[in-house]
Amino acid sequence: MQKLAWNKLFAVSALSLVMAGCASSGGTTDEAATTETEQQQSETQAVPESPNVDVNTDAQAEAAQNNPLLDQTVVYFGFDRSELRPEFKDVLNAHAEYLVANPQASLTVEGHCDERGTVEYNLALGERRAETVKRYLIVQGVAPSQLETVSYGEERPAVMGSDESAWSKNRRAELDYQNR
């Protein structure tokens, strides 16, 4: 039993180190590196989305009313990135708190990309984005059995268009709640 506790502690510590490593910024090699900083600055404003929280039960409805961050179910990412941006950590912390308090709730994290890149690359990038959100929630105490991930790559754009405005809305992970 003692060994199991140490293994869990080690796993949480390892995940924390991975998340800390993912938070560091690295350089990009593409030609848009000079404009990426400007794009990220313009995207730092968190965009509230319509709620996807299923409020069929009284507890879920009360939780959604008590914490408006639960209304935000979209996490945006930078170009060709799968690291969490700091402005979305409070949102994910609120969802983690909700999931810990409601073990009957389950969540599918859907990874999405913009239209640039190959289909295969975008599916892999969408998966990395969804897995990043999942790992963050697990580190916050959410049971892995409550979480699933799926990648849609570029197949389900939130906004149609071939410009930075549309692309920035399509680089995302969506949180989709289901009841068990």
Side-chain angles (χ1 to χ4, degrees), residues 65-143:
Q65 287 176 345
N66 289 340
N67 194 341
L69 289 176
L70 291 175
D71 289 343
Q72 188 171 343
T73 58
V74 179
V75 175
Y76 293 99
F77 292 86
F79 172 69
D80 199 27
R81 307 299 259 188
S82 59
E83 298 87 16
L84 285 178
R85 292 173 26 192
E87 63 266 27
F88 294 106
K89 289 186 178 180
D90 286 342
V91 171
L92 291 176
N93 288 341
H95 285 280
E97 185 178 305
Y98 171 79
L99 287 163
V100 167
N102 295 282
Q104 79 285 356
S106 63
L107 177 70
T108 300
V109 183
E110 302 173 348
H112 299 271
C113 299
D114 61 38
E115 65 186 18
R116 299 172 289 181
T118 65
V119 171
E120 295 82 10
Y121 181 81
N122 285 338
L123 283 171
L125 180 57
E127 183 67 22
R128 287 194 306 272
R129 289 173 174 167
E131 286 293 327
T132 296
V133 171
K134 178 181 178 180
R135 280 191 308 271
Y136 185 86
L137 293 171
I138 289 171
V139 168
Q140 302 307 313
V142 176

Side-chain angles (χ1 to χ4, degrees), residues 38-84:
E38 296 170 31
Q39 293 168 359
Q40 287 178 347
Q41 289 172 350
S42 68
E43 296 169 8
T44 57
Q45 185 70 16
V47 180
E49 295 292 320
S50 59
N52 284 345
V53 177
D54 186 352
V55 289
N56 289 335
T57 66
D58 291 337
Q60 289 171 326
E62 183 179 332
Q65 287 176 345
N66 289 340
N67 194 341
L69 289 176
L70 291 175
D71 289 343
Q72 188 171 343
T73 58
V74 179
V75 175
Y76 293 99
F77 292 86
F79 172 69
D80 199 27
R81 307 299 259 188
S82 59
E83 298 87 16
L84 285 178

Side-chain angles (χ1 to χ4, degrees), residues 155-177:
E155 298 302 315
R156 294 186 179 183
V159 177
M160 298 301 291
S162 295
D163 59 8
E164 184 53 40
S165 175
W167 292 331
S168 68
K169 299 294 183 216
N170 292 330
R171 298 188 301 254
R172 69 197 192 280
E174 292 190 18
L175 309 178
D176 184 23
Y177 281 91

